[in-house]
Amino acid sequence: MSTAILTGPAVPGSPLEGDLRSLGFDVRTAADQRQAAELLAAVPAGERVALVDPRFTGHLHALRLTLTDPRFPAAAAPGALTAQPAARPALQRALAAAGAPPRPAAPATATDAPAPVQQAVLPERPASVQQAVLPDRAAAALEADGTAVHRPELGTLVAAVPQDPQSAKETRDAVAAVDDEAVRLRSAVKARDGFFTTFCVSPYSRYLARWCARRGLTPNQVTTASLVTALIAAGCAATGTRGGYVAAGVLLLLSFVLDCTDGQLARYSLRYSTLGAWLDATFDRAKEYAYYAGLALGAARSGDDVWALALAAMVLQTCRHVIDFSFNEANHDATGNTSPTAALSDKLDSRGWTVWVRRMIVLPIGERWAMIAVLTALTTPRVVFWALLIGCAFAASYTTAGRLLRSLTRRARRTDRAARALAELADTGPLAGALATALARPARALPAIAPPAIALLGGAAVVATAAFAPVTGPWPTLAALLYALTSGLAVARPLKGALDWLVPPAFRAAEYTTVLVLAARSEVPGALPAAFGLVAAVAYHHYDTVYRIRGGTGAPPAWLVRTIGGHELRTLAVAVLTAVLTSRGSALTTALTVLAVAVALVVLVESIRFWVSSSAPAVHDEGEPA
């Protein structure tokens, strides 16, 4: 139970106490500022506490946004302030300082050293209004003490502390003029989303989110329901019948509606959580790739082997995301933005129709799943995968070209944080890591374009060798060793160049495509499905790395990367296994399956351990549509 402290006697007829109790607060009343500090000190340290002016007048949702959002240690609106346990000591210092009698200032001397500040000092106000504005003054004191205070954007919602009867009436009229629930429903929808999601799903999924909230369902429960629905859809697709394909398409769309609902429920009820953010992000990938596997199994039942297409679709989609992540991390806190490409993009985003066209052609998750669902119901898995490959290839080309132009025309300085994030996204294993250390000195003499150029050339060499050299010969293994060398050289110096964000996606494309090509060319029964499982396990590790970095907790521990080998050792291992086991019947399939299961177990156990016990901030994805 959270505690709300009214900083003065309750106002007769005010609904404030009832509103606070409906938000889960135990309401207590302080006679003055000193008693407010005493009540604050009596609240258990692990609880949230709020200071609210008794004359606060406003919408219930304004109070909800201010006082119950779990993502911020402290938050404030006019007349209301809340502090979670992390910000409680600072708030207590502020109130203690306010309650203490002022001390006369000692005359300063030339030899006096500045005394350390021990307590926050509330801004001085006239005595007649000191009590009335205590939450506002305490919020200012918290900020002066170095504590970040979130101030939610209320829009048309009202939050005020009227000082006289006339302003109180005007404030109440302003509250009555705005439909609190309508605003709450509107704000439940993600601010930036794709065309299909915005116009074909969100108009009704927001009401489904409200229905779930009123029945006590949590966002995590809806996320899990979305996953289960998608897995049932994959099972229907695996039947290989027309009825199964139609059912799969319908269920996939229903899974997407639930996927939108979980985020809208989190925003509607302000039930954000670290675990929820992780589930929402990773389940999207699990659902999509499980559905690819279901389509491939269904096609196999009718005699059509599309596992290579399924794996290619997963590789392309994952590499698209890695490009997005790498570019965003490289420019997360870059200073300066003089790119004319960025200026043109901003100009296009100012025109309504160009905004939606640009959002659709990048094939975000809504458009992508709608296309997959409709084509599954009406055509064959082979058609679905070819449409997916063509659409994703065009989208990847469009976005990558724009980012290349931005990077080449932008004068910006990349920070150590960005370089560290790119190094973590690179997923460098022990072999390439040792080579990077050995090659650090010569790497400093290379031109700025060297890291991405070397990464791309090394990746192209290992993929080309896998595609054209005999898979049972030594050449793919030698190419994988060369790839390890070029990978080490590519990361031998900090990745701060304009195009260094290309290094991680080059590594992902090289590793995934090499596994795909070697498994396909081996022609061993079951090798491609096993390779699909291996790439899925490794891709999960790479997505997990991204979401840890986004949460501000850094990459997975170094022991995990060493245990699963890093991208260069996994590529080398698959090349060696293919060369040695291709001629031994199903031995290659068994080896790839064992490798996939081992990687999946290690990665999943560590990932679940981290996210369940994580101290990462409670967030929910508000970024680009995936």
Side-chain angles (χ1 to χ4, degrees), residues 469-477 518 521-522 575 578-583:
V471 295
T472 56
W475 293 110
T477 300
L518 288 175
R521 293 194 65 218
S522 72
T578 306
V580 173
L581 302 178
T582 294
S583 59

Side-chain angles (χ1 to χ4, degrees), residues 414-415 418-420 422-423 426 451 490-497 500-501 503-504:
R414 276 75 183 182
T415 64
R420 183 169 59 254
L422 291 180
V491 296
R493 70 185 189 196
L495 298 175
K496 292 186 177 182
D500 285 358
W501 55 270
V503 171

Side-chain angles (χ1 to χ4, degrees), residues 273-275 278 544 547-548 551-554 606-618:
S273 70
T274 302
L275 178 62
W278 171 67
D544 187 55
Y547 296 123
R548 293 196 196 206
T553 58
E606 160 57 20
S607 178
I608 293 170
R609 180 209 65 77
F610 171 80
W611 287 103
V612 169
S613 61
S614 175
S615 59

Side-chain angles (χ1 to χ4, degrees), residues 89-90 93-94 97 103 113-122 141-146:
R93 289 195 301 271
R103 292 176 297 176
V117 177
Q118 299 296 331
Q119 294 180 325
V121 179
L122 289 170
L142 277 176
E143 290 176 317
D145 194 42

Side-chain angles (χ1 to χ4, degrees), residues 11-22 54 56-58 60 63 172:
V11 175
S14 171
L16 180 60
E17 288 192 45
D19 288 347
L20 290 171
R21 290 193 176 93
S22 73
F56 175 91
T57 304
L60 174 62
L63 274 177
R172 289 194 297 270

Side-chain angles (χ1 to χ4, degrees), residues 530-558:
F532 186 96
L534 175 59
V535 172
V538 175
Y540 176 87
H541 163 62
H542 291 143
Y543 281 112
D544 187 55
T545 301
V546 167
Y547 296 123
R548 293 196 196 206
I549 294 172
R550 280 185 169 183
T553 58

Side-chain angles (χ1 to χ4, degrees), residues 327-412:
F327 179 81
N328 290 335
E329 288 301 325
N331 295 280
H332 182 272
D333 48 8
T335 56
N337 183 5
T338 58
S339 169
T341 307
L344 175 61
S345 178
D346 293 340
K347 183 176 180 181
L348 291 175
D349 277 343
S350 66
R351 301 175 183 271
W353 68 271
T354 60
V355 171
W356 296 116
V357 169
R358 296 176 72 213
R359 291 189 189 179
M360 285 189 290
I361 63 177
V362 299
L363 207 63
I365 189 170
E367 278 74 0
R368 191 167 68 250
W369 282 28
M371 180 184 74
I372 293 171
V374 171
L375 291 178
T376 297
L378 300 179
T379 64
T380 65
R382 182 173 289 273
V383 172
V384 173
F385 285 125
W386 274 115
L388 193 59
L389 286 168
I390 293 170
C392 287
F394 176 80
S397 300
Y398 170 77
T399 56
T400 305
R403 286 166 179 167
L404 283 170
L405 287 173
R406 288 190 184 205
S407 300
L408 291 172
T409 58
R410 181 179 186 178
R411 298 175 184 175

